[in-house]
Amino acid sequence: MTQVDQYKGKLGFEIRDPDALSNGSTAVVDTLEEYGHSVRQFQSRNPNLIRLDCDHYRVELRYRRHPIKPTQASAAGADSTETPLRSSLGVTLTPNHPDHCDVELSELLLAMVLRRLAEDLDVATVDWLHVPFTLTRAAFLGVFEDAETQAESHAQSAADHAAPDAYPVTEIAADIAGIHAAKSSAPLSPQTTPEAPPPAATPIDAALDTPPPLPQPTNGAKPVANGRLRGRACFEPVEVTIAQLEEHYAAILQSPDTRATGRHALEARNRARARAKAVMTPPRSSGTAVARLGGLLAAMPQRMIATTSHLLRSPQLRGHLHIVCGATALLALQSSAAVAF
C-alpha cells in the first residue's frame, strides 16, 4: 500500500474573514477530539498559521489573503461556475508514523474536518486532496447527505427483510406449545385395541422432553473426562484448603529449626536495643563537669602561649617591643662593665 506523507484540503472564501483561522481551529479541535484524537499541543506563533499536535497526526491550518482569483468550481449535476475568491484556508494532516497509518482512515478524518469547517464557516469552494477540480460548498456537503441517505435506506431494507424471518419462528414455538398441551390433556386409560406406532421423535421434542442435568454434589465423586478432572473439580473446597494450610503453618512453627532461629533473633534484637540505649543515654552531670574542667586546665598553657605570640606579632606593640629589648640589652652590658656611661 502506497504511503502518503500529507493529506491536504483547502477552503475558498469570497470575502476576507479575519476570524476564519480562530473559528476554524476551534472546529478542528472539536472534530479531532470527537474521533478520538486529543490535541496535546497548540502553537500559534504566526498570526496566519496554527499547528496542532495530536497522538497520530500533526494538523496545520494556514490562512492566506490574495487578490481576487477567479476559480472554476464544479457543482453536482451542473457545469462548473466561476467563483471569485479573495482568501483561503488550507488544512494539512501529516501522520507522525507514516508506516503505521491507514490511508483510508486518514482521508476520512480529513473529510470530516473539512465538512465541519464548511458547515461552520462561510465557505464558497472546497479542494479535496489531489482531485484536479474544485467543488462548490453545496456539492461537497451533498456527498455526505447522499451517504447518510443510502445508509438509512440500507438499514430500513435490512429491517424489512428481518421482519418476515421472525414469523416462522413464532409459528414453530406455537406448534411446540400445542403439541405439549395435547400430550398433557390426553387420557391415561388402558387401551384394548392395538396401538398405532408412535411417531418418530423430532430433535426439538427430544430436547424438550430431556430433563436438565442434576447438579453434582461438591463432596461426592468428581467429574472425570479421559482420566482428567475438569473445571472446578480440579480444586478442593476453600474450607479444606484453609484447614490444610493452618496445619502446615503450625507444623513449621513447632519445628526445632524454627524455634532456634526465633531464639537467636530475639537475642540479637535485645543486644541491638541495649547498644542503642547505651549510645543514646546521656552521661551523668558530675562526670560531665569534671571532664569539662579537665579540658579547660589542659587548654590553658596552649591559650597563654597563643596569646603571647599574638601580642608579640601585633604591629601596635612592635615598636615598643624593640625599645624594651634595646633597654634590656644596655642594662645587661652596663651591669657587666662592658659599657660605661
Side-chain angles (χ1 to χ4, degrees):
M1 182 174 58
T2 304
Q3 300 296 335
V4 181
D5 295 337
Q6 290 183 340
Y7 302 88
K8 296 182 179 180
K10 186 173 66 174
L11 307 174
F13 303 90
E14 295 181 349
I15 59 175
R16 293 182 177 177
D17 188 2
D19 298 331
L21 187 61
S22 58
N23 296 335
S25 63
T26 304
V28 171
V29 170
D30 294 341
T31 306
L32 292 174
E33 292 183 351
E34 181 180 355
Y35 288 94
H37 300 280
S38 58
V39 178
R40 299 178 178 177
Q41 191 172 7
F42 187 99
Q43 298 180 6
S44 179
R45 299 177 181 177
N46 192 323
N48 297 327
L49 178 65
I50 290 179
R51 290 189 176 92
L52 307 175
D53 292 337
C54 304
D55 48 358
H56 296 294
Y57 299 95
R58 295 189 305 274
V59 185
E60 182 177 301
L61 303 176
R62 186 181 296 274
Y63 181 74
R64 291 185 175 90
R65 302 180 184 89
H66 45 73
I68 297 177
K69 179 182 179 182
T71 303
Q72 297 293 330
S74 300
D79 297 335
S80 60
T81 58
E82 184 175 332
T83 304
L85 301 180
R86 302 190 64 181
S87 60
S88 63
L89 179 63
V91 182
T92 304
L93 266 70
T94 305
N96 293 331
H97 310 284
D99 297 336
H100 304 280
C101 181
D102 189 86
V103 177
E104 294 182 357
L105 292 180
S106 301
E107 292 178 354
L108 289 175
L109 181 61
L110 177 61
M112 299 309 298
V113 169
L114 294 177
R115 178 188 181 183
R116 180 67 177 273
L117 292 174
E119 291 175 349
D120 294 352
L121 303 178
D122 190 9
V123 177
T125 61
V126 179
D127 289 322
W128 164 252
L129 294 176
H130 302 288
V131 177
F133 53 87
T134 302
L135 296 174
T136 60
R137 178 179 181 274
F140 181 76
L141 295 179
V143 176
F144 296 94
E145 295 176 359
D146 295 341
E148 292 175 355
T149 304
Q150 293 178 3
E152 292 177 358
S153 62
H154 179 70
Q156 185 65 28
S157 62
D160 295 340
H161 287 295
D165 296 339
Y167 183 71
V169 177
T170 307
E171 282 189 343
I172 293 173
D175 295 341
I176 293 173
I179 292 171
H180 282 280
K183 288 182 179 180
S184 61
S185 61
L188 301 178
S189 59
Q191 301 270 346
T192 58
T193 58
E195 296 182 355
T202 62
I204 296 178
D205 294 337
L208 292 174
D209 295 338
T210 303
L214 297 176
Q216 298 182 359
T218 57
N219 55 357
K222 298 180 180 180
V224 180
N226 298 328
R228 298 179 61 185
L229 299 177
R230 298 291 184 181
R232 296 184 178 179
C234 299
F235 305 96
E236 294 289 346
V238 178
E239 294 79 4
V240 177
T241 305
I242 293 176
Q244 293 177 356
L245 290 176
E246 290 179 351
E247 294 177 359
H248 182 64
Y249 292 153
I252 292 176
L253 293 176
Q254 295 298 328
S255 63
D257 296 338
T258 305
R259 291 182 177 180
T261 304
R263 184 173 61 256
H264 294 325
L266 182 61
E267 294 177 356
R269 185 185 63 181
N270 294 335
R271 288 195 300 270
R273 286 183 177 179
R275 196 180 302 113
K277 185 176 180 180
V279 172
M280 298 299 295
T281 302
R284 296 181 179 179
S285 58
S286 58
T288 305
V290 173
R292 185 177 301 175
L293 179 60
L296 292 176
L297 294 176
M300 284 183 64
Q302 298 179 0
R303 292 182 180 179
M304 294 177 61
I305 296 172
T307 303
T308 304
S309 61
H310 179 70
L311 291 175
L312 292 177
R313 289 182 298 175
S314 177
Q316 289 82 6
L317 298 178
R318 188 173 299 171
H320 303 283
L321 182 60
H322 292 170
I323 295 173
V324 171
C325 291
T328 304
L330 290 175
L331 289 176
L333 291 173
Q334 184 179 6
S335 62
S336 59
V339 178
F341 294 98

